[in-house]
Amino acid sequence: MNLSESQIRSAYAQAKERYASLGVDTDTILQQMEKVAISLHCWQGDDVSGFENPGGELTGGIAATGNYPGKARNADELRRDLDVVYSLLPGAHRLNLHAIYLEAGKKVERNAIEPQHFAAWVDWAKTKGHGLDFNPTCFSHPLAADGFTLSHPDSAIRQYWVEHCIASRRIGEYFGRELGSKAVTNIWIPDGYKDTPADRSAPRRRLLDSLDRVLAEKLPHNLDAVEPKLFGIGSESYVTGSMEFYTAYAVSRKILLTLDSGHFHPTETIADKISALLVFLDELLLHVSRGVRWDSDHVVTFNDDLQAIAQEIVRAGALNRVHIGLDYFDASINRLAAWTVGARNTLRAMLNALLEPQALLIKYEAEGDFSSRLALQEELKAMPAAAVWDYHCLVKGAPVGMAYVDTIKAYEQNVLAQRAGR
Ligand code: RNT
Ligand code: ZN
């Protein structure tokens, strides 16, 4: 079922002509794809376990379900798995690390983590040409067990998490400086109530104060982001860090806002938020994910939501202002497949968006010719974008079509199956 190289090239030549007839030069578009870097989320590789505390439980209103064999048990295994995934993606991409993925050789309190605990990640990233991003881990910890961290009523507990976030920003700064590419350090906290609170204001005032203390230090190689959420498991009625809270915060502090596609009402999409927020914010971070019912973290599929997100980044001319990260954790299928499917879909959606004849659509719109705008939008859905994607994979040395599944299956047999425990 795999296509031959000449089939891929001839399908591309035909597609190139089709797009040229709409004023789109596919070769130029493929050059633009060079600028699209996806930040892969390290936590898909081990169900958000990390290496701080073997056997530690995932808490904070998020959950990975499934027990597919072969999860990475240490950083070397995780890097090895990631190397395979990157080899299946066209282009050069980043890695998004969480604080619990440190390599300290001993237990280190989260408020005492240091750049040296991530030195092996930096060495690896330098060798492989990856940028790195970072996240404080404000969950899966005894001091997060009350469901509150940066907005906790106890000032000593708040202080602990403030210190953890300060330490995390310094690690982001270290990544940015060492790798010559700014790191985004994204703060997400699980804080919230299962049932209707008596006081919605006080936690938000405490969060404001904590965040201001976290962000006090100027760090030129680090970009700060805050990630809102509507609800989590156990925080159904109230989340301190809501969309309105963090939007206002990000605008007033001139930092990034993170939009996670699984963090809104089930019918609410983040696509339309991008152009609105970019009027006020310099940059955004996306956590591309897929919400299903009450779970915000399913593998990204090539659905309308994903395509709309990609279109809005491109239409806003914001390729260099929107950082694209993935965020989901599926333990019920091969974890490398989960990463690869979501990442390839996201890249493919970006390519499709870039292939839009934007000038022509804008012309119809400016002329008030909404009939032609609609007709063209619909025609575009059946244009041969897949032939351009296949060719892109071919020239970038990434597998075409289902060939990547063969690589994953062979790796599963040769490497993952040898890992004891689940
Ligand atoms: C949780 C947030 C957050 C986490 C990761 C692990 O709802 O989306 O981004 O998924 O930090
Ligand atoms: Zn997220």
Side-chain angles (χ1 to χ4, degrees):
M1 90 187 270
N2 291 340
L3 296 173
S4 72
E5 184 171 335
S6 73
Q7 283 174 313
I8 296 164
R9 288 186 186 279
S10 83
Y12 175 68
Q14 283 189 23
K16 188 173 159 62
E17 274 180 43
R18 289 281 306 277
Y19 281 104
S21 73
L22 294 172
V24 174
D25 177 10
T26 51
D27 290 334
T28 310
I29 300 302
L30 289 179
Q31 280 167 19
Q32 285 177 269
M33 275 300 281
E34 308 266 332
K35 287 186 259 164
V36 179
I38 308 274
S39 196
L40 283 192
H41 52 317
C42 76
W43 52 92
Q44 165 57 51
D46 72 337
D47 318 337
V48 211
S49 308
F51 315 126
E52 176 191 56
N53 193 7
E57 207 199 331
L58 173 59
T59 67
I62 52 176
T65 51
N67 60 352
Y68 203 85
K71 90 176 197 184
R73 297 163 300 181
N74 54 53
D76 286 330
E77 289 183 352
L78 188 56
R79 281 189 282 267
R80 191 172 175 192
D81 294 354
L82 281 161
D83 287 341
V84 176
V85 174
Y86 287 114
S87 78
L88 305 177
L89 309 178
H93 301 288
R94 306 174 64 86
L95 181 71
N96 196 5
L97 280 168
H98 242 284
I100 49 173
Y101 289 79
L102 79 176
E103 291 170 273
K106 58 173 185 296
K107 173 96 174 107
V108 175
E109 272 304 325
R110 290 202 193 159
N111 59 354
I113 56 168
E114 288 179 30
Q116 51 159 326
H117 302 135
F118 294 87
W121 284 109
V122 167
D123 288 346
W124 169 83
K126 275 185 187 163
T127 314
K128 307 283 177 178
H130 303 302
L132 290 177
D133 299 303
F134 200 62
N135 304 261
T137 310
C138 302
F139 50 86
S140 304
H141 189 277
L143 291 181
D146 294 337
F148 284 88
T149 61
L150 290 178
S151 73
H152 199 289
D154 180 334
S155 67
I157 295 179
R158 275 202 313 281
Q159 180 61 22
Y160 179 86
W161 293 111
V162 166
E163 287 170 12
H164 174 54
C165 291
I166 290 173
S168 295
R169 292 183 71 231
R170 290 180 181 159
I171 290 160
E173 174 71 7
Y174 159 70
F175 288 172
R177 208 178 47 234
E178 287 291 317
L179 299 168
S181 168
K182 284 185 186 178
V184 183
T185 298
N186 172 56
I187 299 178
W188 172 73
I189 56 167
D191 301 29
Y193 285 116
K194 183 182 181 77
D195 260 323
T196 313
D199 184 356
R200 291 175 179 264
S201 303
R204 290 185 170 139
R205 296 203 175 279
R206 292 193 292 262
L207 178 56
L208 173 69
D209 175 71
S210 293
L211 288 172
D212 280 349
R213 288 193 286 134
V214 167
L215 298 179
E217 188 178 4
K218 290 256 175 298
L219 297 171
H221 303 94
N222 179 66
L223 296 169
D224 296 294
V226 284
E227 181 180 7
K229 190 168 183 175
L230 179 67
F231 76 96
I233 302 164
S235 59
E236 288 82 357
S237 300
Y238 170 82
V239 166
T240 315
S242 61
M243 179 67 175
E244 291 71 18
F245 179 92
Y246 279 138
T247 304
Y249 189 78
V251 169
S252 62
R253 283 5 180 218
K254 300 196 184 327
I255 61 168
L256 282 68
L257 184 73
T258 303
L259 297 177
D260 184 313
S261 32
H263 283 195
F264 297 88
H265 282 285
T267 56
E268 189 175 358
T269 147
I270 65 167
D272 185 48
K273 303 181 192 302
I274 294 171
S275 58
L277 291 163
L278 285 175
V279 175
F280 297 97
L281 295 170
D282 288 339
E283 297 177 46
L284 291 171
L285 169 64
L286 301 187
H287 272 187
V288 181
S289 183
R290 177 168 53 103
V292 175
R293 313 276 184 225
W294 52 82
D295 176 49
S296 60
D297 302 295
H298 277 53
V299 179
V300 169
T301 56
F302 197 73
N303 58 15
D304 287 350
D305 259 5
L306 178 67
Q307 293 177 67
I309 291 166
Q311 285 162 348
E312 286 306 315
I313 299 170
V314 172
R315 290 172 187 169
L319 277 183
N320 54 354
R321 296 171 63 196
V322 179
H323 303 258
I324 307 172
L326 304 181
D327 182 13
Y328 51 79
F329 15 101
D330 190 336
S332 75
I333 60 172
N334 180 305
R335 294 172 184 78
L336 284 82
W339 260 322
T340 311
V341 168
R344 283 178 68 107
N345 278 336
T346 305
L347 289 169
R348 204 150 55 92
M350 290 302 294
L351 175 61
N352 282 26
L354 284 163
L355 286 169
E356 272 193 350
Q358 212 186 359
L360 191 53
L361 287 164
I362 289 175
K363 176 175 165 284
Y364 289 146
E365 191 162 274
E367 289 166 354
D369 183 358
F370 303 147
S371 317
S372 299
R373 183 184 64 182
L374 179 62
L376 181 54
Q377 281 168 346
E378 292 306 296
E379 277 302 302
L380 292 174
K381 292 179 181 169
M383 285 286 286
V388 183
W389 167 250
D390 288 347
Y391 175 78
H392 178 53
C393 290
L394 177 77
V395 298
K396 288 286 165 197
V400 173
M402 287 286 282
Y404 75 86
V405 180
D406 300 341
T407 306
I408 290 173
K409 292 278 177 193
Y411 185 76
E412 177 167 327
Q413 218 171 20
N414 300 331
V415 180
L416 302 182
Q418 319 307 322
R419 292 181 187 165
R422 297 183 162 212

